Every structure is written in structure tokens, then in C-alpha cells.
Amino acid sequence: MKLIQLTDIHLTTPGQTIGGRDPNANFEAALTHALSQHPDTEAIVITGDLSDWGDRADYERLRARIATLPVPVHLAIGNHDDRAIFLQVFPELADADGHVQSRFPLSRGTGLVIDTWGPRSHAGFFCAKRCAWLEQALTVADAPVFLFMHHNPVPTYIAPLDHIMLRDSDTFGAVIATHRQHIAHIFFGHCHLPLSGSLYGVPVSGSRGTNHAGWADFTERHMLLGSDLPQAYAVIVANGATVTVQMVEFGYRGERRIEGSPDYDAWNRTTMVR
């Protein structure tokens, strides 16, 4: 089973840029690259910050674009989004309590999207109603479960990022701990960095976004930092007992070169490029 995770696409008014990059063009480039390299993917999940300013026009363009794709697309919202405006365009994605949460079948298990959005905050939240929805969804879901969210549920140990991580991480973690035997992986965005770890033994990972990139500076105490690292998305392959997550830097524009054959007998000082 193969899935594509895009994150932090930050769609904007056409012509506007972020960090000198065009989020709309980069979203298109990510889709083109992912679907050409991975035509066997069975779904795309976009883990939040769909719009940079929560504008209705961004969501309308997103809806029109994903309707043309050959695979289903599942959406989470992030801190740059506006839940009320998003649900005006995607009303079918609201759960019974008005959160953007959904469950979808996969050829191997179940995908779950949860809502970590909160008003007037870049941090993530997970209230009692969202907790109850996740508890019930995990109880009935066919295992293995692949869980998608925007905010990181584990610390990065980079102070400004941890200030805006999932604040109700203990509440969220208690649900994960109860159902950890059925959860294969948790995927998030938000940090604009490649990250991996675990939560109560469940693997977690985050990918760089499709437009602007972050920078990990463990000495910075106050400001979020950006960089010119390449745009990226994640490829997820679940096969039997394994789950592999690879960050693909589709925005890389530098040289690619052959370094040699993987055949050990072909390794020598003459043929290996150094």
C-alpha cells in the first residue's frame, strides 16, 4: 500500500509568494512529481495549512483542483486555516461536533484524519469532543490505523516550535497509549522539518512542506526560522510487517550524479566516483 503525504501547502492569492516561492506553483509541482513517480499511490493526505490566510478562494481552488486528481485526497486543517470558512467549502468533512475529522478505508487498514485547530493560536488543541471521536474511531477501525494530523504531538526540543506544538498532548497521548497496538504510524506537518520519533511506542513522523522550509536551531529561543532547503513531500509504503516513510525533495534543482553500482564486486578505486 502506498500513500502520499503533502503538508503545509499554504495556498495564496495567485501571484503572491512566501519566502520568495510561489505556493500555488509548488503545490502543482508536488502533485505532478508525486503522481508521476508514484502512479500506484492509493490516496493523498494533506496535513494542514491548506491556505496561508484561511481565504475562501484558496479553498475553492483547492476543491476544484483535487476533484480532477485520479486518487482520493483527504484533508486536515492547520493553524493557518480557518475552520469555519474551510467548512463552507468542504461541509461534508465536518464531524458531528463540527470538527474536521474523517475516517477512510485503505487496502491495508484504516486512515484517520483528526482536527488540531484552535482559534487565534498557532498551537494545536485536542478537546474532550475530539478525544471522544478519536477513541470511538480507533475502537471500530480495521487495523492497522494510519493517523494524520497537523500539529506535532511530540516535542522537537526547538523552543519556538515547541511553543506551538499540540498543547493537549497528554490527552491525545492517553488515547494513543490505549490503542497503540492497532496504530501503525502517526503523521504530522506544521514544523516544516523532517522529524521522526515515537509516542507511547507508536512511530511518528513529519515532513518538510511543499513550499517554504524551516530550520532547526536549538539555540534560538524565540523566533521561528526559515531556510532555502528544497520543497518536499512524503511517500508512505506499508508492506506486511514494515512501514517506510521517505521524504522526497522534489524542489531540489542541483546536480544528480551516478556514484557507482550497488554491486559490491563493482566497487574499486577505478569505477567508484569520489
Side-chain angles (χ1 to χ4, degrees):
M1 179 187 77
K2 182 179 286 185
L3 306 171
I4 299 294
Q5 180 198 8
L6 307 182
T7 195
D8 296 272
I9 62 176
H10 286 266
L11 299 182
T12 57
T13 301
Q16 293 183 350
T17 60
I18 302 172
R21 298 177 178 181
D22 184 336
N24 302 313
N26 281 320
F27 176 53
E28 287 295 326
L31 290 173
T32 299
H33 192 278
L35 292 172
S36 63
Q37 291 275 314
H38 307 282
D40 55 338
T41 190
E42 62 181 71
I44 295 172
V45 186
I46 310 179
T47 49
D49 283 358
L50 309 172
S51 169
D52 195 42
W53 293 103
D55 292 338
R56 182 185 177 109
D58 295 335
Y59 300 132
E60 290 173 340
R61 284 185 288 107
L62 177 61
R63 181 165 195 129
R65 183 65 182 96
I66 65 177
T68 69
L69 298 179
V71 297
V73 178
H74 306 283
L75 303 175
I77 57 171
N79 49 292
H80 278 256
D81 291 304
D82 185 301
R83 185 196 285 143
I85 295 174
F86 172 83
L87 287 175
Q88 291 174 10
V89 181
F90 294 94
E92 73 279 6
L93 296 186
D95 69 9
D97 296 306
H99 297 115
V100 180
Q101 306 197 120
S102 59
R103 179 173 63 238
F104 53 95
L106 296 167
S107 61
R108 184 173 183 266
T110 305
L112 297 179
V113 173
I114 64 170
D115 183 335
T116 58
W117 182 88
R120 300 186 61 80
S121 176
H122 289 303
F125 299 89
F126 200 65
C127 62
K129 289 181 178 179
R130 283 176 272 193
C131 182
W133 184 94
L134 179 59
E135 178 78 45
Q136 197 275 336
L138 287 169
T139 299
V140 302
D142 292 334
V145 172
F146 299 85
L147 180 60
F148 296 87
M149 59 197 295
H150 181 68
H151 291 85
N152 51 307
V154 296
T156 66
Y157 300 99
I158 301 168
L161 279 177
D162 289 347
H163 182 69
I164 58 171
M165 67 175 285
L166 184 66
R167 291 190 178 169
D168 301 311
S169 57
D170 290 341
T171 301
F172 175 75
V175 180
I176 299 305
T178 300
H179 296 274
R180 58 187 172 186
Q181 292 183 333
H182 307 297
I183 305 172
H185 206 99
I186 299 170
F187 302 91
F188 60 89
H190 189 48
C191 300
H192 294 250
L193 295 170
L195 294 161
S196 63
S198 64
L199 178 64
Y200 289 100
V202 177
V204 302
S205 65
S207 177
R208 197 180 299 143
T210 61
N211 191 65
H212 44 299
W215 183 258
D217 185 337
F218 292 85
T219 67
E220 174 59 50
R221 309 306 302 170
H222 304 291
M223 302 302 291
L224 299 167
L225 300 179
S227 72
D228 291 324
L229 291 169
Q231 305 91 322
Y233 61 83
V235 179
I236 304 154
V237 182
N239 185 12
T242 68
V243 177
T244 301
V245 184
Q246 176 139 311
M247 190 179 74
V248 178
E249 295 178 304
F250 72 93
Y252 175 67
R253 295 294 180 264
E255 181 184 358
R256 292 178 292 174
R257 55 189 173 271
I258 295 174
E259 293 189 340
S261 167
D263 184 353
Y264 183 82
D265 290 336
W267 290 18
N268 58 65
R269 293 175 184 267
T270 302
T271 61
M272 289 297 289
V273 178
R274 288 291 181 261

